[in-house]
Amino acid sequence: MKSINRFAFALPILALTGCVALDPVMVTETLPQICQAAKNNQVQANSTYVGMSLTMTGEVRSVNEGFQPRYRVLLKAGKVSIHAGTDNKASVTALTVGKTARASGIITDVSNDFNGCAISLKDATF
């Protein structure tokens, strides 16, 4: 019984120190709702959404190779641009420009400016 109590006491400490991986919270709002939040106040939108998990479907517009992350994919979902980055070459090799793809990742930035609404993802999977 004592070992169970020690573990129960240690778990919150491990979580706070980053030793226990907790899954990011999934976004429940739609892309237009996220974009409206960014239009209303980009700072507040980033405070709300950065670090959350997002899954979406869109048309692949480009697949590029760069530095960090190694591979970048631009998807268009309606009026929203999704900039998805990954280091997983196998996941981007199967993508084709002009085809539809499903992407999941962690939000790193939400913006709404003269180019429209854009959401950036890291650790993306396709």
Side-chain angles (χ1 to χ4, degrees):
M1 184 71 171
K2 287 184 179 182
S3 64
I4 292 173
N5 288 340
R6 286 183 193 154
F7 179 73
F9 176 74
L11 188 59
I13 293 170
L14 291 172
L16 289 173
T17 60
C19 294
V20 174
L22 300 175
D23 289 332
V25 175
M26 188 68 134
V27 171
T28 56
E29 292 83 0
T30 64
L31 293 178
Q33 288 172 322
I34 295 170
C35 291
Q36 185 60 49
K39 187 175 183 179
N40 293 342
N41 184 329
Q42 184 174 335
V43 174
Q44 179 61 39
N46 278 302
S47 293
T48 301
Y49 297 111
V50 168
M52 295 182 81
S53 178
L54 174 71
T55 299
M56 53 72 60
T57 301
E59 179 188 344
V60 177
R61 293 288 179 96
S62 68
V63 180
N64 296 303
E65 198 168 358
F67 296 105
Q68 290 297 323
R70 181 70 183 173
Y71 306 102
R72 296 183 199 104
V73 178
L74 173 63
L75 299 111
K76 194 74 167 174
K79 295 181 180 181
V80 183
S81 296
I82 305 293
H83 301 269
T86 185
D87 288 317
N88 184 338
K89 183 177 183 178
S91 70
V92 298
T93 303
L95 298 174
T96 303
V97 172
K99 300 286 185 177
T100 300
R102 183 175 176 89
S104 296
I106 307 302
I107 297 174
T108 59
D109 185 66
V110 178
S111 65
N112 197 329
D113 58 21
F114 64 91
N115 287 321
C117 183
I119 299 172
S120 298
L121 304 177
K122 69 176 182 176
D123 301 330
T125 57
F126 304 92

